[in-house]
Short mmCIF file of all heavy atoms in Angstrom, two decimals:
data_model
loop_
_atom_site.label_atom_id
_atom_site.label_comp_id
_atom_site.label_asym_id
_atom_site.label_seq_id
_atom_site.Cartn_x
_atom_site.Cartn_y
_atom_site.Cartn_z
N MET A 4 -53.18 -65.85 -9.18
CA MET A 4 -51.77 -66.00 -9.20
C MET A 4 -51.32 -67.18 -8.40
O MET A 4 -51.84 -67.35 -7.33
CB MET A 4 -51.16 -64.79 -8.66
CG MET A 4 -49.55 -64.79 -8.60
SD MET A 4 -48.98 -63.13 -8.20
CE MET A 4 -47.88 -63.45 -6.95
N PRO A 5 -50.46 -68.05 -8.99
CA PRO A 5 -50.09 -69.31 -8.24
C PRO A 5 -49.14 -68.96 -7.10
O PRO A 5 -48.59 -68.00 -7.10
CB PRO A 5 -49.31 -70.09 -9.45
CG PRO A 5 -48.92 -69.05 -10.38
CD PRO A 5 -49.94 -67.97 -10.28
N ARG A 6 -49.17 -69.93 -6.21
CA ARG A 6 -48.27 -69.81 -5.06
C ARG A 6 -46.89 -70.06 -5.49
O ARG A 6 -46.54 -70.84 -6.28
CB ARG A 6 -48.56 -70.88 -4.11
CG ARG A 6 -48.50 -70.50 -2.57
CD ARG A 6 -48.82 -71.63 -1.66
NE ARG A 6 -47.56 -72.43 -1.50
CZ ARG A 6 -46.52 -72.02 -0.65
NH1 ARG A 6 -46.81 -71.00 0.13
NH2 ARG A 6 -45.47 -72.93 -0.42
N ILE A 7 -45.93 -69.12 -5.07
CA ILE A 7 -44.55 -69.07 -5.44
C ILE A 7 -43.75 -69.65 -4.36
O ILE A 7 -43.92 -69.31 -3.08
CB ILE A 7 -44.12 -67.64 -5.80
CG1 ILE A 7 -44.88 -67.16 -6.99
CG2 ILE A 7 -42.66 -67.76 -6.12
CD1 ILE A 7 -44.64 -65.76 -7.31
N HIS A 8 -42.91 -70.77 -4.63
CA HIS A 8 -42.06 -71.41 -3.63
C HIS A 8 -41.17 -70.24 -2.90
O HIS A 8 -40.68 -69.42 -3.50
CB HIS A 8 -41.18 -72.33 -4.35
CG HIS A 8 -40.43 -73.31 -3.41
ND1 HIS A 8 -39.19 -73.05 -2.79
CD2 HIS A 8 -40.81 -74.44 -2.84
CE1 HIS A 8 -38.84 -74.01 -2.06
NE2 HIS A 8 -39.75 -74.94 -2.14
N GLU A 9 -41.01 -70.53 -1.57
CA GLU A 9 -40.41 -69.58 -0.75
C GLU A 9 -38.98 -69.23 -1.07
O GLU A 9 -38.36 -68.23 -0.75
CB GLU A 9 -40.50 -69.93 0.74
CG GLU A 9 -39.83 -71.27 1.00
CD GLU A 9 -40.12 -71.87 2.36
OE1 GLU A 9 -41.04 -71.33 3.04
OE2 GLU A 9 -39.44 -72.93 2.80
N SER A 10 -38.34 -70.22 -1.85
CA SER A 10 -36.86 -70.01 -2.23
C SER A 10 -36.72 -69.08 -3.35
O SER A 10 -35.71 -68.59 -3.67
CB SER A 10 -36.24 -71.35 -2.48
OG SER A 10 -36.68 -71.90 -3.68
N ILE A 11 -37.80 -68.73 -4.03
CA ILE A 11 -37.75 -67.86 -5.23
C ILE A 11 -38.08 -66.45 -4.75
O ILE A 11 -39.23 -66.13 -4.61
CB ILE A 11 -38.81 -68.32 -6.26
CG1 ILE A 11 -38.49 -69.84 -6.63
CG2 ILE A 11 -38.81 -67.48 -7.47
CD1 ILE A 11 -39.57 -70.39 -7.68
N THR A 12 -37.05 -65.75 -4.59
CA THR A 12 -37.14 -64.34 -4.12
C THR A 12 -36.98 -63.42 -5.31
O THR A 12 -36.50 -63.72 -6.38
CB THR A 12 -36.00 -64.05 -3.15
OG1 THR A 12 -34.75 -64.20 -3.75
CG2 THR A 12 -36.10 -64.89 -1.99
N ALA A 13 -37.44 -62.24 -5.15
CA ALA A 13 -37.37 -61.09 -6.13
C ALA A 13 -35.86 -60.97 -6.65
O ALA A 13 -35.58 -60.92 -7.81
CB ALA A 13 -37.99 -59.84 -5.65
N GLU A 14 -35.02 -61.08 -5.61
CA GLU A 14 -33.56 -60.88 -5.83
C GLU A 14 -33.00 -62.05 -6.73
O GLU A 14 -32.38 -61.83 -7.80
CB GLU A 14 -32.82 -60.92 -4.52
CG GLU A 14 -31.40 -60.41 -4.69
CD GLU A 14 -30.84 -60.39 -3.23
OE1 GLU A 14 -31.15 -61.21 -2.40
OE2 GLU A 14 -29.92 -59.48 -2.99
N ARG A 15 -33.50 -63.19 -6.45
CA ARG A 15 -32.94 -64.44 -7.19
C ARG A 15 -33.40 -64.30 -8.63
O ARG A 15 -32.79 -64.66 -9.58
CB ARG A 15 -33.47 -65.66 -6.54
CG ARG A 15 -32.87 -66.97 -7.10
CD ARG A 15 -33.39 -68.14 -6.20
NE ARG A 15 -33.13 -69.41 -6.88
CZ ARG A 15 -33.79 -70.57 -6.70
NH1 ARG A 15 -34.83 -70.57 -5.87
NH2 ARG A 15 -33.59 -71.63 -7.45
N VAL A 16 -34.72 -63.91 -8.80
CA VAL A 16 -35.36 -63.78 -10.17
C VAL A 16 -34.61 -62.57 -11.01
O VAL A 16 -34.27 -62.87 -12.12
CB VAL A 16 -36.75 -63.64 -10.09
CG1 VAL A 16 -37.35 -63.42 -11.40
CG2 VAL A 16 -37.48 -64.81 -9.31
N MET A 17 -34.41 -61.60 -10.31
CA MET A 17 -33.72 -60.49 -10.90
C MET A 17 -32.34 -60.86 -11.47
O MET A 17 -31.89 -60.45 -12.54
CB MET A 17 -33.67 -59.25 -10.01
CG MET A 17 -34.45 -58.10 -10.45
SD MET A 17 -34.41 -56.73 -9.35
CE MET A 17 -35.46 -57.20 -8.03
N GLU A 18 -31.57 -61.50 -10.51
CA GLU A 18 -30.22 -62.04 -10.97
C GLU A 18 -30.31 -62.92 -12.20
O GLU A 18 -29.56 -62.77 -13.10
CB GLU A 18 -29.65 -62.76 -9.75
CG GLU A 18 -28.68 -61.90 -8.97
CD GLU A 18 -28.20 -62.69 -7.84
OE1 GLU A 18 -27.78 -63.87 -7.99
OE2 GLU A 18 -28.11 -62.10 -6.70
N ALA A 19 -31.27 -63.74 -12.33
CA ALA A 19 -31.45 -64.67 -13.41
C ALA A 19 -31.73 -63.89 -14.71
O ALA A 19 -31.14 -64.08 -15.68
CB ALA A 19 -32.45 -65.70 -13.18
N VAL A 20 -32.61 -62.80 -14.50
CA VAL A 20 -33.02 -62.06 -15.72
C VAL A 20 -31.69 -61.34 -16.12
O VAL A 20 -31.47 -61.13 -17.36
CB VAL A 20 -34.10 -61.00 -15.34
CG1 VAL A 20 -34.29 -60.06 -16.57
CG2 VAL A 20 -35.40 -61.84 -15.10
N GLU A 21 -31.02 -60.67 -15.30
CA GLU A 21 -29.81 -59.98 -15.63
C GLU A 21 -28.74 -60.88 -16.27
O GLU A 21 -28.11 -60.57 -17.28
CB GLU A 21 -29.07 -59.39 -14.47
CG GLU A 21 -29.71 -57.91 -14.02
CD GLU A 21 -29.28 -57.54 -12.74
OE1 GLU A 21 -28.09 -57.79 -12.26
OE2 GLU A 21 -30.07 -56.68 -12.09
N ASP A 22 -28.64 -62.16 -15.84
CA ASP A 22 -27.65 -63.05 -16.45
C ASP A 22 -28.12 -63.33 -17.81
O ASP A 22 -27.31 -63.62 -18.81
CB ASP A 22 -27.66 -64.33 -15.56
CG ASP A 22 -26.76 -64.24 -14.29
OD1 ASP A 22 -26.08 -63.22 -14.22
OD2 ASP A 22 -26.75 -65.15 -13.50
N SER A 23 -29.43 -63.49 -18.00
CA SER A 23 -29.92 -63.92 -19.33
C SER A 23 -29.70 -62.84 -20.31
O SER A 23 -29.64 -63.12 -21.44
CB SER A 23 -31.41 -64.34 -19.25
OG SER A 23 -32.20 -63.23 -19.04
N HIS A 24 -29.58 -61.60 -19.79
CA HIS A 24 -29.32 -60.54 -20.82
C HIS A 24 -27.89 -60.45 -21.22
O HIS A 24 -27.61 -60.00 -22.36
CB HIS A 24 -29.74 -59.13 -20.16
CG HIS A 24 -31.20 -58.96 -19.97
ND1 HIS A 24 -31.76 -58.07 -19.32
CD2 HIS A 24 -32.21 -59.72 -20.56
CE1 HIS A 24 -33.13 -58.16 -19.30
NE2 HIS A 24 -33.41 -59.22 -20.13
N SER A 25 -26.90 -61.04 -20.45
CA SER A 25 -25.58 -61.00 -20.85
C SER A 25 -25.10 -62.41 -21.31
O SER A 25 -23.99 -62.50 -21.48
CB SER A 25 -24.71 -60.56 -19.57
OG SER A 25 -25.04 -61.38 -18.54
N SER A 26 -25.99 -63.29 -21.52
CA SER A 26 -25.59 -64.55 -22.04
C SER A 26 -26.72 -65.06 -22.86
O SER A 26 -27.83 -64.37 -22.94
CB SER A 26 -25.29 -65.55 -20.88
OG SER A 26 -26.41 -65.96 -20.24
N LEU A 27 -26.69 -66.29 -23.32
CA LEU A 27 -27.74 -66.91 -24.22
C LEU A 27 -28.65 -67.81 -23.25
O LEU A 27 -29.50 -68.51 -23.83
CB LEU A 27 -27.15 -67.64 -25.35
CG LEU A 27 -26.50 -66.68 -26.41
CD1 LEU A 27 -25.74 -67.66 -27.38
CD2 LEU A 27 -27.50 -65.84 -27.02
N ALA A 28 -28.43 -67.74 -22.00
CA ALA A 28 -29.19 -68.57 -21.11
C ALA A 28 -30.61 -68.12 -21.17
O ALA A 28 -30.99 -66.97 -21.32
CB ALA A 28 -28.57 -68.58 -19.62
N ASN A 29 -31.51 -69.11 -20.89
CA ASN A 29 -32.95 -68.80 -20.78
C ASN A 29 -33.46 -69.46 -19.48
O ASN A 29 -33.87 -70.51 -19.47
CB ASN A 29 -33.66 -69.56 -21.99
CG ASN A 29 -33.78 -68.67 -23.12
OD1 ASN A 29 -33.88 -67.41 -23.13
ND2 ASN A 29 -33.79 -69.20 -24.34
N PRO A 30 -33.10 -68.79 -18.45
CA PRO A 30 -33.39 -69.22 -17.13
C PRO A 30 -34.86 -69.21 -16.77
O PRO A 30 -35.72 -68.35 -17.26
CB PRO A 30 -32.67 -68.40 -16.17
CG PRO A 30 -32.64 -67.05 -16.82
CD PRO A 30 -32.57 -67.28 -18.30
N GLY A 31 -35.29 -70.09 -15.98
CA GLY A 31 -36.69 -70.24 -15.32
C GLY A 31 -36.71 -70.83 -13.99
O GLY A 31 -35.64 -71.30 -13.61
N PHE A 32 -37.76 -70.78 -13.34
CA PHE A 32 -37.91 -71.48 -12.01
C PHE A 32 -39.12 -72.15 -11.99
O PHE A 32 -40.19 -71.87 -12.46
CB PHE A 32 -37.84 -70.26 -10.94
CG PHE A 32 -36.66 -69.42 -10.85
CD1 PHE A 32 -36.65 -68.23 -11.52
CD2 PHE A 32 -35.55 -69.86 -10.26
CE1 PHE A 32 -35.43 -67.39 -11.54
CE2 PHE A 32 -34.46 -69.21 -10.18
CZ PHE A 32 -34.37 -67.99 -10.73
N CYS A 33 -39.12 -73.19 -11.15
CA CYS A 33 -40.29 -74.01 -10.77
C CYS A 33 -40.91 -73.38 -9.54
O CYS A 33 -40.28 -73.35 -8.49
CB CYS A 33 -39.90 -75.41 -10.53
SG CYS A 33 -41.28 -76.40 -9.97
N LEU A 34 -42.18 -73.00 -9.81
CA LEU A 34 -42.83 -72.43 -8.53
C LEU A 34 -43.16 -73.48 -7.45
O LEU A 34 -43.34 -73.13 -6.27
CB LEU A 34 -44.16 -71.73 -8.99
CG LEU A 34 -44.03 -70.56 -10.07
CD1 LEU A 34 -45.41 -69.80 -10.10
CD2 LEU A 34 -43.01 -69.63 -9.69
N ALA A 35 -43.32 -74.68 -7.86
CA ALA A 35 -43.66 -75.76 -6.98
C ALA A 35 -42.53 -76.21 -6.08
O ALA A 35 -42.79 -76.31 -4.85
CB ALA A 35 -44.30 -76.93 -7.75
N CYS A 36 -41.44 -76.52 -6.56
CA CYS A 36 -40.33 -77.01 -5.72
C CYS A 36 -39.06 -75.97 -5.65
O CYS A 36 -38.22 -76.21 -4.88
CB CYS A 36 -39.83 -78.23 -6.25
SG CYS A 36 -39.01 -78.25 -7.97
N GLY A 37 -39.15 -74.86 -6.39
CA GLY A 37 -38.11 -73.91 -6.36
C GLY A 37 -36.88 -74.18 -7.14
O GLY A 37 -35.81 -73.54 -7.03
N ALA A 38 -36.87 -75.27 -8.05
CA ALA A 38 -35.69 -75.60 -8.83
C ALA A 38 -35.52 -74.69 -9.93
O ALA A 38 -36.37 -73.99 -10.40
CB ALA A 38 -36.03 -77.00 -9.39
N ASP A 39 -34.18 -74.55 -10.21
CA ASP A 39 -33.71 -73.78 -11.47
C ASP A 39 -34.19 -74.59 -12.73
O ASP A 39 -33.97 -75.79 -12.72
CB ASP A 39 -32.33 -73.40 -11.54
CG ASP A 39 -31.88 -72.43 -10.41
OD1 ASP A 39 -32.28 -71.32 -10.58
OD2 ASP A 39 -31.21 -72.91 -9.49
N ALA A 40 -34.57 -73.87 -13.83
CA ALA A 40 -34.72 -74.52 -15.01
C ALA A 40 -33.92 -73.78 -16.13
O ALA A 40 -33.58 -72.60 -15.87
CB ALA A 40 -36.25 -74.54 -15.38
N GLU A 41 -33.61 -74.48 -17.07
CA GLU A 41 -32.78 -73.99 -18.20
C GLU A 41 -33.56 -74.16 -19.56
O GLU A 41 -34.39 -75.05 -19.67
CB GLU A 41 -31.41 -74.69 -18.32
CG GLU A 41 -30.33 -73.77 -17.61
CD GLU A 41 -30.24 -72.46 -18.17
OE1 GLU A 41 -30.49 -72.11 -19.41
OE2 GLU A 41 -30.03 -71.48 -17.30
N GLY A 42 -33.22 -73.24 -20.55
CA GLY A 42 -34.01 -73.41 -21.80
C GLY A 42 -35.41 -73.14 -21.76
O GLY A 42 -36.23 -73.69 -22.41
N VAL A 43 -35.75 -72.16 -20.85
CA VAL A 43 -37.13 -71.75 -20.74
C VAL A 43 -37.32 -70.47 -21.51
O VAL A 43 -36.58 -69.48 -21.13
CB VAL A 43 -37.49 -71.61 -19.25
CG1 VAL A 43 -38.95 -71.19 -18.99
CG2 VAL A 43 -37.19 -72.93 -18.45
N GLU A 44 -38.26 -70.31 -22.23
CA GLU A 44 -38.56 -69.05 -22.94
C GLU A 44 -38.98 -67.96 -21.91
O GLU A 44 -39.59 -68.36 -20.85
CB GLU A 44 -39.72 -69.16 -23.90
CG GLU A 44 -39.30 -69.82 -25.19
CD GLU A 44 -40.36 -70.83 -25.74
OE1 GLU A 44 -41.52 -70.41 -25.82
OE2 GLU A 44 -39.98 -72.01 -25.93
N PRO A 45 -38.61 -66.72 -22.11
CA PRO A 45 -38.82 -65.67 -21.11
C PRO A 45 -40.25 -65.58 -20.69
O PRO A 45 -40.49 -65.21 -19.46
CB PRO A 45 -38.33 -64.39 -21.76
CG PRO A 45 -37.31 -64.87 -22.81
CD PRO A 45 -37.74 -66.19 -23.32
N ASP A 46 -41.07 -65.77 -21.53
CA ASP A 46 -42.54 -65.72 -21.20
C ASP A 46 -43.24 -66.94 -21.04
O ASP A 46 -44.49 -67.08 -21.06
CB ASP A 46 -43.25 -64.78 -22.30
CG ASP A 46 -43.23 -65.48 -23.64
OD1 ASP A 46 -42.54 -66.48 -23.84
OD2 ASP A 46 -44.02 -65.01 -24.54
N ALA A 47 -42.41 -68.06 -20.71
CA ALA A 47 -42.99 -69.30 -20.48
C ALA A 47 -43.82 -69.32 -19.17
O ALA A 47 -43.60 -68.62 -18.34
CB ALA A 47 -41.85 -70.35 -20.39
N ARG A 48 -44.95 -70.15 -19.31
CA ARG A 48 -45.72 -70.47 -18.19
C ARG A 48 -46.21 -71.87 -18.21
O ARG A 48 -46.45 -72.42 -19.20
CB ARG A 48 -47.04 -69.62 -18.37
CG ARG A 48 -46.92 -68.18 -17.97
CD ARG A 48 -48.23 -67.41 -18.34
NE ARG A 48 -48.16 -66.15 -17.80
CZ ARG A 48 -49.02 -65.49 -16.97
NH1 ARG A 48 -50.08 -66.27 -16.80
NH2 ARG A 48 -48.91 -64.33 -16.51
N LYS A 49 -46.22 -72.36 -16.90
CA LYS A 49 -46.68 -73.79 -16.71
C LYS A 49 -46.11 -74.88 -17.53
O LYS A 49 -46.56 -75.74 -18.10
CB LYS A 49 -48.27 -73.82 -17.07
CG LYS A 49 -48.96 -72.87 -16.01
CD LYS A 49 -50.42 -72.88 -16.20
CE LYS A 49 -51.11 -72.00 -15.33
NZ LYS A 49 -52.46 -71.91 -15.60
N TYR A 50 -44.71 -74.72 -17.73
CA TYR A 50 -43.86 -75.74 -18.37
C TYR A 50 -43.73 -76.84 -17.27
O TYR A 50 -43.69 -76.64 -16.14
CB TYR A 50 -42.45 -75.27 -18.78
CG TYR A 50 -42.50 -74.49 -20.08
CD1 TYR A 50 -43.68 -73.93 -20.64
CD2 TYR A 50 -41.39 -74.45 -20.88
CE1 TYR A 50 -43.66 -73.32 -21.79
CE2 TYR A 50 -41.32 -73.76 -21.98
CZ TYR A 50 -42.52 -73.14 -22.51
OH TYR A 50 -42.46 -72.63 -23.74
N GLU A 51 -43.41 -78.05 -17.77
CA GLU A 51 -43.19 -79.21 -16.87
C GLU A 51 -41.80 -79.19 -16.19
O GLU A 51 -40.79 -78.83 -16.84
CB GLU A 51 -43.30 -80.41 -17.66
CG GLU A 51 -43.43 -81.68 -16.74
CD GLU A 51 -43.84 -82.99 -17.54
OE1 GLU A 51 -44.55 -82.88 -18.50
OE2 GLU A 51 -43.33 -83.99 -17.11
N CYS A 52 -41.78 -79.34 -14.93
CA CYS A 52 -40.49 -79.23 -14.09
C CYS A 52 -39.75 -80.58 -14.27
O CYS A 52 -40.42 -81.60 -14.01
CB CYS A 52 -40.77 -78.88 -12.76
SG CYS A 52 -39.36 -78.94 -11.63
N GLU A 53 -38.46 -80.51 -14.49
CA GLU A 53 -37.72 -81.72 -14.62
C GLU A 53 -37.39 -82.38 -13.26
O GLU A 53 -37.11 -83.54 -13.06
CB GLU A 53 -36.29 -81.53 -15.24
CG GLU A 53 -36.47 -81.26 -16.70
CD GLU A 53 -35.17 -80.88 -17.41
OE1 GLU A 53 -34.17 -81.09 -16.74
OE2 GLU A 53 -35.15 -80.46 -18.67
N CYS A 54 -37.58 -81.51 -12.18
CA CYS A 54 -37.26 -82.06 -10.85
C CYS A 54 -38.52 -82.75 -10.22
O CYS A 54 -38.53 -83.83 -9.73
CB CYS A 54 -37.03 -80.93 -9.99
SG CYS A 54 -35.22 -80.76 -9.58
N CYS A 55 -39.71 -81.97 -10.20
CA CYS A 55 -40.80 -82.59 -9.52
C CYS A 55 -41.92 -82.91 -10.46
O CYS A 55 -42.95 -83.48 -10.02
CB CYS A 55 -41.40 -81.46 -8.60
SG CYS A 55 -42.09 -79.97 -9.28
N GLY A 56 -41.74 -82.65 -11.75
CA GLY A 56 -42.82 -83.12 -12.64
C GLY A 56 -44.09 -82.21 -12.77
O GLY A 56 -45.00 -82.58 -13.65
N LYS A 57 -44.12 -81.27 -12.00
CA LYS A 57 -45.35 -80.39 -11.89
C LYS A 57 -45.14 -79.34 -13.04
O LYS A 57 -44.12 -78.96 -13.43
CB LYS A 57 -45.53 -79.73 -10.66
CG LYS A 57 -45.87 -80.69 -9.53
CD LYS A 57 -46.40 -79.89 -8.34
CE LYS A 57 -46.72 -81.09 -7.27
NZ LYS A 57 -46.49 -80.56 -5.92
N ARG A 58 -46.31 -79.01 -13.55
CA ARG A 58 -46.29 -77.94 -14.53
C ARG A 58 -46.40 -76.59 -13.99
O ARG A 58 -47.34 -75.91 -13.96
CB ARG A 58 -47.58 -78.15 -15.48
CG ARG A 58 -47.52 -79.49 -16.20
CD ARG A 58 -48.55 -79.62 -17.36
NE ARG A 58 -48.14 -78.67 -18.48
CZ ARG A 58 -47.38 -79.02 -19.40
NH1 ARG A 58 -46.76 -80.25 -19.46
NH2 ARG A 58 -47.16 -78.11 -20.39
N ALA A 59 -45.17 -76.23 -13.38
CA ALA A 59 -45.04 -74.98 -12.58
C ALA A 59 -43.85 -74.25 -12.92
O ALA A 59 -43.52 -73.34 -12.14
CB ALA A 59 -45.09 -75.36 -11.15
N VAL A 60 -43.31 -74.49 -14.12
CA VAL A 60 -42.09 -73.74 -14.50
C VAL A 60 -42.33 -72.42 -15.22
O VAL A 60 -43.19 -72.61 -16.18
CB VAL A 60 -41.07 -74.66 -15.43
CG1 VAL A 60 -39.92 -73.87 -15.86
CG2 VAL A 60 -40.59 -75.81 -14.59
N TYR A 61 -41.91 -71.39 -14.84
CA TYR A 61 -42.18 -70.07 -15.45
C TYR A 61 -40.90 -69.53 -15.91
O TYR A 61 -39.83 -69.62 -15.25
CB TYR A 61 -42.93 -69.15 -14.44
CG TYR A 61 -44.29 -69.48 -14.29
CD1 TYR A 61 -44.81 -70.56 -13.77
CD2 TYR A 61 -45.23 -68.42 -14.64
CE1 TYR A 61 -46.18 -70.79 -13.57
CE2 TYR A 61 -46.70 -68.71 -14.54
CZ TYR A 61 -47.10 -69.88 -13.93
OH TYR A 61 -48.52 -70.13 -13.86
N GLY A 62 -40.85 -68.74 -16.98
CA GLY A 62 -39.71 -67.94 -17.46
C GLY A 62 -39.31 -66.93 -16.41
O GLY A 62 -40.29 -66.39 -15.72
N ALA A 63 -38.04 -66.62 -16.38
CA ALA A 63 -37.51 -65.54 -15.30
C ALA A 63 -38.27 -64.20 -15.51
O ALA A 63 -38.59 -63.66 -14.55
CB ALA A 63 -36.05 -65.41 -15.37
N GLU A 64 -38.39 -63.73 -16.80
CA GLU A 64 -38.98 -62.51 -17.16
C GLU A 64 -40.40 -62.50 -16.62
O GLU A 64 -40.93 -61.47 -16.11
CB GLU A 64 -38.86 -62.10 -18.48
CG GLU A 64 -37.37 -62.16 -19.01
CD GLU A 64 -36.98 -60.82 -19.65
OE1 GLU A 64 -37.84 -59.95 -19.75
OE2 GLU A 64 -35.89 -60.72 -20.08
N GLU A 65 -41.16 -63.61 -16.91
CA GLU A 65 -42.45 -63.63 -16.54
C GLU A 65 -42.59 -63.62 -15.01
O GLU A 65 -43.54 -62.97 -14.47
CB GLU A 65 -43.08 -65.13 -17.13
CG GLU A 65 -44.44 -65.20 -16.97
CD GLU A 65 -45.18 -64.31 -17.88
OE1 GLU A 65 -44.68 -63.87 -18.96
OE2 GLU A 65 -46.47 -63.96 -17.55
N LEU A 66 -41.71 -64.30 -14.32
CA LEU A 66 -41.80 -64.40 -12.94
C LEU A 66 -41.49 -63.03 -12.29
O LEU A 66 -42.01 -62.60 -11.30
CB LEU A 66 -40.75 -65.38 -12.40
CG LEU A 66 -41.25 -66.70 -11.91
CD1 LEU A 66 -40.16 -67.57 -11.45
CD2 LEU A 66 -42.38 -66.53 -10.82
N LEU A 67 -40.55 -62.27 -12.95
CA LEU A 67 -40.19 -61.00 -12.34
C LEU A 67 -41.40 -60.09 -12.17
O LEU A 67 -41.54 -59.42 -11.18
CB LEU A 67 -39.22 -60.34 -13.31
CG LEU A 67 -38.47 -59.10 -12.77
CD1 LEU A 67 -37.70 -59.42 -11.58
CD2 LEU A 67 -37.48 -58.46 -13.93
N MET A 68 -42.35 -60.19 -13.04
CA MET A 68 -43.56 -59.42 -12.96
C MET A 68 -44.41 -59.86 -11.76
O MET A 68 -45.22 -59.11 -11.27
CB MET A 68 -44.35 -59.53 -14.29
CG MET A 68 -43.70 -58.64 -15.39
SD MET A 68 -44.75 -58.59 -16.88
CE MET A 68 -44.20 -60.21 -17.67
N MET A 69 -44.19 -61.14 -11.39
CA MET A 69 -45.14 -61.70 -10.38
C MET A 69 -44.55 -61.42 -9.00
O MET A 69 -45.25 -61.30 -7.98
CB MET A 69 -45.31 -63.20 -10.56
CG MET A 69 -46.06 -63.44 -11.92
SD MET A 69 -45.91 -65.10 -12.47
CE MET A 69 -46.63 -66.08 -11.23
N VAL A 70 -43.19 -61.36 -8.92
CA VAL A 70 -42.54 -61.22 -7.56
C VAL A 70 -42.19 -59.71 -7.21
O VAL A 70 -42.00 -59.38 -6.13
CB VAL A 70 -41.21 -62.13 -7.42
CG1 VAL A 70 -41.63 -63.50 -7.52
CG2 VAL A 70 -40.23 -61.75 -8.50
N ALA A 71 -42.09 -58.88 -8.34
CA ALA A 71 -41.75 -57.54 -8.11
C ALA A 71 -42.84 -56.86 -7.30
O ALA A 71 -43.88 -57.11 -7.45
CB ALA A 71 -41.39 -56.92 -9.41
ZN1 ZN B 24 -40.34 -78.51 -9.64
#
């Protein structure tokens, strides 16, 4: 399991998942720098981060399983 940035908490991920259920948003997070990402498929893994350029963006639903 990859190291998860300290700013990405279970609470933050859960909120993003809930938001995505009530809207068409596809939230994700970068595990390397903690940035929010948009337009990320729920089960995405290792997408490129627009902030830091690392392939560390995971979909919120995928992350929920990792932080829960
Ligand atoms: Zn990043």
Side-chain angles (χ1 to χ4, degrees):
M4 181 165 130
R6 214 182 88 79
I7 298 174
H8 192 268
E9 60 192 8
S10 73
I11 302 173
T12 60
E14 194 176 31
R15 193 174 160 206
V16 176
M17 245 179 283
E18 260 174 42
V20 170
E21 278 168 25
D22 284 353
S23 74
H24 290 167
S25 56
S26 71
L27 293 173
N29 275 321
F32 297 98
C33 172
L34 301 194
C36 69
D39 289 293
E41 262 305 324
V43 181
E44 283 139 54
D46 62 349
R48 285 172 167 233
K49 299 181 183 174
Y50 277 24
E51 192 172 326
C52 175
E53 286 179 13
C54 257
C55 69
K57 291 193 177 142
R58 301 192 65 85
V60 173
Y61 282 61
E64 304 233 2
E65 188 70 23
L66 255 182
L67 191 56
M68 286 185 273
M69 293 160 66
V70 295

